[in-house]
Amino acid sequence: MDFTRSKVFARAGLIGNPSDGYNGKTITVIVKNFYAQVILYEWDRLEIIPGSSDESDFPSIHELAKDVRLHGYYGGIRLVKAAINGFLLYCTQRKLPLQDRNFSLRYESSIPRQVGMAGSSAIVVATLRALMDFYGIDIPKQILPSLVLSIERDQLGIPAGLQDRVAQVYEGCVYMNFAKDVMRTDDGFTVGEYEDLPVSLLPPLYVSYSVECSEPTEVFHNNLRFRYDQGESAVISAMQQCAELTVRAREALLSGKKELLPGLLDANFDIRQLICRLPAEQVLMVETARSCGASANFAGSGGAIVGTYPDEAAYIRLRAAMQKIGCETIKPILE
């Protein structure tokens, strides 16, 4: 049986967070240790097979409550359905003919949920890529992230920026500029400036995460967006500072001064902490990493951090210390 397989990886926002949704700039790396995968093959009816996150059978009421606490009330099927509907709307509006064929679709994801590593958008991107291959439709690379964002925002009400979607479409390490003066319209979608940076320019990186500290991205962004839209000077200034740190990080990497990156990452988190009341458990993650000689910044809006470490001995200390507070630590696979 012929089938289409699409794999999309997790991501970690290296610097610029959380300014990506506020006309800022970011640098983001892909994390190939985790991925969402969609497998699609021709079928007589359109069928979506539930994934593990759509589980509705539990050994006890306490296990159900734990699942809700960690994963919320929604699994991945809503993401798959929205992606399919968004794909159809895109093709219909552009009069792109679709072959008269149905399919069965199944998905899986190893991306830790609600820790800010873009697990939701990975499922949407993977579904769209599988549909593009199945129906022979080409969606331009620079447009695909914006289509994904529109699906999540308009159909599912997920507040987000372009960063995650750009990272997962372009992969590797990407510098993104979302400043108002560079944003443009392409085929009805708003796109920014995206630049691939060689991963060889980066110093050694780690990612630590804790599903026990997870939090849906909307919990963080809803409050911040309101304050930003109200013109709160501290929030606006913080976004500008985060964007400026990103520019400095890009310049440091391109000029071979990767040793400047740790201080810039730490400064990014410190700015974020000034404008937001951050969960104590997530602040502890950053403080623990720094106590081991590593730099640390939030990888997104959840229970994951990303940073640099000076040597292997420091990484070993870091892993042990993070494990004591219930966190897993990995070296991200970037290519």
Side-chain angles (χ1 to χ4, degrees):
M1 178 185 295
D2 292 334
F3 64 89
T4 292
R5 185 193 306 269
S6 173
K7 186 179 287 188
V8 175
F9 302 100
R11 73 99 188 93
L14 195 59
I15 193 165
N17 294 323
S19 68
D20 57 293
Y22 305 86
N23 296 114
K25 302 175 178 68
T26 66
I27 295 176
T28 303
V29 294
I30 214 70
V31 180
K32 290 194 172 184
N33 311 62
F34 306 112
Y35 61 85
Q37 178 175 258
V38 166
I39 296 176
L40 187 154
Y41 47 88
E42 192 157 8
W43 203 243
D44 58 341
R45 292 170 57 85
L46 198 158
E47 174 187 60
I48 303 172
I49 308 297
S52 59
S53 63
D54 302 296
E55 183 63 62
S56 58
D57 180 13
F58 303 95
S60 73
I61 192 171
H62 302 291
E63 289 300 314
L64 181 147
K66 180 180 179 180
D67 183 81
V68 169
R69 186 175 71 254
L70 295 179
H71 303 144
Y73 293 100
Y74 306 107
I77 283 187
R78 67 171 185 147
L79 299 167
V80 173
K81 285 183 175 180
I84 294 171
N85 188 53
F87 175 78
L88 177 61
L89 288 173
Y90 176 90
C91 295
T92 301
Q93 291 169 357
R94 287 153 187 79
K95 296 182 171 55
L96 301 175
L98 295 181
Q99 302 169 39
D100 186 16
R101 55 196 306 221
N102 286 325
F103 56 82
S104 178
L105 182 153
R106 61 186 63 219
Y107 80 95
E108 60 179 349
S109 176
S110 64
I111 301 174
R113 295 195 63 193
Q114 297 185 356
V115 299
M117 296 177 70
S120 295
S121 58
I123 293 174
V124 177
V125 175
T127 301
L128 286 174
R129 280 181 169 167
L131 291 169
M132 289 162 61
D133 185 57
F134 183 75
Y135 286 106
I137 298 295
D138 178 56
I139 300 176
K141 187 176 183 179
Q142 74 276 10
I143 289 177
L144 186 55
S146 299
L147 173 59
V148 175
L149 180 62
S150 71
I151 289 171
E152 293 188 69
R153 276 185 174 175
D154 300 343
Q155 297 190 45
L156 300 174
I158 298 175
L162 278 165
Q163 175 183 205
D164 297 3
R165 294 95 197 143
V166 174
Q168 291 171 328
V169 169
Y170 281 72
E171 299 189 355
C173 178
V174 189
Y175 167 78
M176 310 170 202
N177 185 353
F178 303 114
K180 289 182 180 180
D181 59 346
V182 305
M183 298 297 284
R184 59 189 176 85
T185 300
D186 190 333
D187 194 22
F189 292 95
T190 302
V191 301
E193 288 185 348
Y194 314 133
E195 176 187 4
D196 291 311
L197 298 176
V199 297
S200 59
L201 300 176
L202 295 166
L205 300 177
Y206 74 89
V207 172
S208 290
Y209 63 95
S210 169
V211 293
E212 295 295 335
C213 296
S214 64
E215 180 178 75
T217 186
E218 54 264 30
V219 173
F220 174 81
H221 279 290
N222 282 344
N223 181 313
L224 198 64
R225 170 57 65 182
F226 174 78
R227 294 165 61 194
Y228 182 83
D229 290 342
Q230 292 297 305
E232 185 176 323
S233 59
V235 173
I236 293 173
S237 174
M239 297 305 176
Q240 293 171 343
Q241 292 177 65
C242 289
E244 290 165 3
L245 289 174
T246 304
V247 173
R248 290 168 59 189
R250 173 183 175 275
E251 292 171 349
L253 293 175
L254 291 176
S255 61
K257 298 179 180 178
K258 63 178 70 175
E259 68 276 5
L260 298 178
L261 197 60
L264 296 172
L265 297 185
D266 283 341
N268 195 156
F269 174 80
D270 293 344
I271 291 170
R272 186 183 186 125
Q273 194 171 24
L274 286 174
I275 61 167
C276 301
R277 181 180 297 175
L278 303 175
E281 317 87 71
Q282 296 179 21
V283 174
L284 177 61
M285 292 172 66
V286 171
E287 292 174 343
T288 301
R290 289 181 177 180
S291 72
C292 298
S295 63
N297 188 23
F298 276 7
S301 299
I305 63 173
V306 61
T308 64
Y309 57 93
D311 51 44
E312 189 62 21
Y315 178 75
I316 293 173
R317 291 195 305 271
L318 171 68
R319 270 190 75 180
M322 297 304 289
Q323 192 170 32
K324 287 181 179 179
I325 61 171
C327 298
E328 298 292 329
T329 302
I330 62 169
K331 295 178 181 178
I333 301 170
L334 305 177
E335 58 182 349

